[in-house]
Amino acid sequence: MLDNLLMNLSEYAYLSLFVTSFLASTVLPLGSETLVVVLIRSGFNFFAVVMVSTIGNYLGSCTTYYIGFKGRSDIIEKYFSISEKQLRKADSWFDKYGPFLLLFTWLPLVGDAITASGGMLKLDFRIFSIYVFIGKFLRYFAVSYLALNL
């Protein structure tokens, strides 16, 4: 049974990682870190795991940004479980820290609010992309590095 699980993991590992990472930054309150750790500890390519998880999580954030950009606060509150209070807090953080705040969209509880607020504030998508991608990359690099070295 364990052999079958490992064989299936090998066959669909990167696709599963991409989907999990994408969904983790959109509508589902789940984390992709566990799968990253399992893949790294199972000998999967370090760089491939980091990049697949980064790209999946970044594209999920782009989805949230787009919904915010279109002003769909009803969808954000209902499906993303981001309250109006969280959005106001993220807006005030943008006033204080500027786009640098986007480096922290990976944080639990507030990351999705930061992403949605970035869209609602109509931040330049290029700036959004640079900061969010760097933040996501650093997160997955750190998780993968720790999984490999601990």
Side-chain angles (χ1 to χ4, degrees), residues 73-91:
S73 58
D74 57 325
I75 292 174
I76 289 169
E77 285 187 48
K78 183 175 181 181
Y79 295 106
F80 290 73
S81 300
I82 302 170
S83 69
E84 185 65 35
K85 181 181 176 184
Q86 289 173 304
L87 289 172
R88 282 195 309 274
K89 183 179 267 190
D91 288 349

Side-chain angles (χ1 to χ4, degrees), residues 1-10:
M1 182 165 165
L2 182 59
D3 290 337
N4 287 339
L5 179 64
L6 290 175
M7 190 170 76
N8 286 335
L9 178 64
S10 294

Side-chain angles (χ1 to χ4, degrees), residues 4 7-8 11 15 20-21 24 37 62 68 89 97 104 107 112 123 135 138 140 148:
N4 287 339
M7 190 170 76
N8 286 335
E11 191 173 340
L15 177 61
T20 303
S21 298
V37 170
C62 290
K89 183 179 267 190
Y97 302 109
F104 301 96
L107 288 171
D112 291 337
L123 293 178
L138 292 173
Y140 284 112
L148 192 61

Side-chain angles (χ1 to χ4, degrees), residues 8 20 38 52 57 59 65 68 72 82 91 100 106 111 115 118 123:
N8 286 335
T20 303
V38 167
V52 168
N57 209 249
L59 290 174
Y65 169 91
R72 297 303 308 262
I82 302 170
D91 288 349
F100 179 75
W106 56 268
T115 303
L123 293 178

Side-chain angles (χ1 to χ4, degrees), residues 118-132:
M120 294 174 94
L121 293 170
K122 311 275 193 256
L123 293 178
D124 182 296
F125 185 70
R126 292 170 294 186
I127 300 297
F128 170 87
S129 291
I130 291 167
Y131 281 109
V132 170

Side-chain angles (χ1 to χ4, degrees), residues 15-111:
L15 177 61
S16 298
L17 180 60
F18 178 84
V19 170
T20 303
S21 298
F22 179 88
L23 292 175
S25 65
T26 55
V27 297
L28 295 179
L30 56 93
S32 52
E33 295 82 5
T34 302
L35 185 53
V36 167
V37 170
V38 167
L39 294 179
I40 291 295
R41 303 285 247 152
S42 298
F44 281 81
N45 181 281
F46 181 90
F47 185 71
V49 169
V50 170
M51 291 310 295
V52 168
S53 54
T54 298
I55 291 168
N57 209 249
Y58 161 75
L59 290 174
S61 290
C62 290
T63 303
T64 306
Y65 169 91
Y66 180 76
I67 292 168
F69 187 85
K70 289 298 183 181
R72 297 303 308 262
S73 58
D74 57 325
I75 292 174
I76 289 169
E77 285 187 48
K78 183 175 181 181
Y79 295 106
F80 290 73
S81 300
I82 302 170
S83 69
E84 185 65 35
K85 181 181 176 184
Q86 289 173 304
L87 289 172
R88 282 195 309 274
K89 183 179 267 190
D91 288 349
S92 71
W93 289 342
F94 271 112
D95 289 341
K96 187 173 183 178
Y97 302 109
F100 179 75
L101 181 63
L102 293 167
L103 289 171
F104 301 96
T105 58
W106 56 268
L107 288 171
L109 304 175
V110 296

